[in-house]
């Protein structure tokens, strides 16, 4: 199993950056414009085995009239949301968490390490497909009583696929404990298992001017190749 993230930057003369000797821990505010939580939402921080904190935006399922709270929580599985590139938990909090919580689902949106208000690991990149999936699994194992439905968008969808592959490939009890069972999975415009390199290169060759403009505005294309 392998995962490779390649970053194509528009400027070849990239100034040298200094790698921080320690992770950014307990920083009051990591985002330039912090996301303001909606009514009923709570920001939590899940401590990973690495010692880093992962941001979680939580919104519990609403209790409707003529419904038993214990029965409701037993019927509906919790929903865990994994964002894509250049995003964080806030992208789910705006509409998805509010909608599904009102339908009676407990919702948890995660910010992968290096994104949102989560801590930043040392090194040149925040993590790999394997480490991100492991962080999601650690949150599920330590915080949820019921098998959740795991939802992933774009690169987050690839993480969900890797998670499922680990469940199916789990041959021993230790591996099964590392990746708890799911009640279901949802892929939203997901990166396929083969990666998105074909899509990116087609974009570059079919619309080179548009791609150049994206680069000149400081954008970056992420080419993801993965094999399970």
């Amino acid at each position: 199993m392998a995962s490779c993230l390649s970053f194509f930057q528009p400027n070849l003369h990239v100034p040298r950056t200094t790698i921080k000797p320690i992770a950014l821990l307990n920083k009051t505010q990591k985002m330039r414009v912090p996301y303001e939580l909606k009514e009923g939402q709570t920001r939590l921080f899940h401590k990973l085995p690495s010692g880093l904190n992962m941001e979680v935006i939580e919104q519990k399922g609403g209790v409707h009239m003529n419904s038993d709270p214990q029965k409701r929580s037993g019927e509906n599985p919790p929903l865990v949301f994994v964002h894509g590139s250049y995003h964080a938990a806030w992208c789910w909090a705006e509409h998805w968490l509010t909608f599904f919580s009102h339908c009676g689902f407990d919702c948890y949106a995660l910010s992968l390490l290096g994104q949102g208000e989560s801590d930043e690991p040392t090194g040149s990149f925040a993590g790999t497909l394997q480490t991100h999936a492991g962080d999601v699994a650690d949150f599920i194992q330590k915080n949820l009583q019921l098998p959740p439905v795991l939802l992933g968008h774009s690169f987050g969808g690839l993480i969900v696929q890797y998670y499922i592959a680990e469940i199916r490939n789990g041959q021993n009890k230790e591996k099964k404990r590392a990746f708890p069972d799911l009640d279901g999975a949802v892929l939203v415009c997901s990166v396929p298992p083969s990666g998105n390199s074909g899509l990116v290169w087609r974009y570059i060759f079919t619309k080179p001017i548009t791609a150049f403009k994206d680069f000149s505005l400081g954008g970056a294309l992420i080419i993801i190749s993965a094999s399970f």
Side-chain angles (χ1 to χ4, degrees):
M1 300 182 182
S3 173
C4 176
L5 302 183
S6 301
F7 295 82
F8 284 72
Q9 299 289 351
N11 187 359
L12 297 179
H13 302 286
V14 180
R16 180 178 296 179
T17 57
T18 302
I19 298 176
K20 300 178 180 64
I22 58 175
L24 297 180
L25 298 174
N26 302 322
K27 187 176 178 182
T28 304
Q29 176 183 318
K30 297 182 176 65
M31 296 177 62
R32 292 182 179 179
V33 181
Y35 177 79
E36 294 185 5
L37 300 179
K38 302 295 183 183
E39 183 179 357
Q41 295 179 352
T42 305
R43 178 177 283 110
L44 309 173
F45 289 93
H46 171 68
K47 189 170 184 178
L48 297 166
S50 62
L52 301 178
N53 292 317
M54 181 170 65
E55 178 191 21
V56 181
I57 297 180
E58 172 192 75
Q59 188 163 3
K60 293 290 188 177
V63 180
H64 300 285
M65 295 180 62
N66 302 323
S67 65
D68 183 351
Q70 293 183 351
K71 183 178 180 181
R72 174 192 58 78
S73 62
E75 289 180 347
N76 294 337
L79 307 182
V80 178
F81 298 83
V82 184
H83 63 83
S85 302
Y86 307 113
H87 287 69
W90 54 261
C91 73
W92 301 105
E94 189 71 17
H95 299 292
W96 292 67
L97 298 195
T98 55
F99 175 82
F100 283 106
S101 65
H102 291 162
C103 293
F105 292 88
D106 292 342
C107 300
Y108 306 87
L110 312 181
S111 289
L112 301 175
L113 290 181
Q115 306 297 322
E117 298 295 336
S118 292
D119 288 335
E120 296 181 17
T122 58
S124 57
F125 55 90
T128 65
L129 182 61
Q130 291 88 343
T131 61
H132 286 318
D135 292 342
V136 173
D138 186 74
F139 169 79
I140 293 174
Q141 181 187 52
K142 295 178 179 177
N143 294 276
L144 303 183
Q145 300 297 322
L146 297 174
V149 174
L150 193 56
L151 301 91
H153 169 247
S154 188
F155 177 62
L158 189 60
I159 294 174
V160 172
Q161 293 175 69
Y162 181 86
Y163 189 111
I164 295 172
E166 286 297 293
I167 292 178
R168 299 189 64 179
N169 294 333
Q171 300 297 325
N172 53 62
K173 293 183 179 180
E174 289 187 3
K175 197 163 188 177
K176 288 183 178 179
R177 284 198 298 267
F179 288 86
D181 289 335
L182 301 175
D183 193 72
V186 178
L187 304 179
V188 183
C189 300
S190 174
V191 173
S194 58
N196 68 344
S197 58
L199 173 64
V200 171
W201 287 116
R202 283 197 301 272
Y203 175 65
I204 292 175
F205 286 112
T206 59
K207 298 183 178 180
I209 296 178
T210 304
F212 177 78
K213 289 181 179 179
D214 290 341
F215 290 154
S216 63
L217 292 175
L221 288 180
I222 299 180
I223 294 183
I224 303 171
S225 59
S227 59
F228 297 167

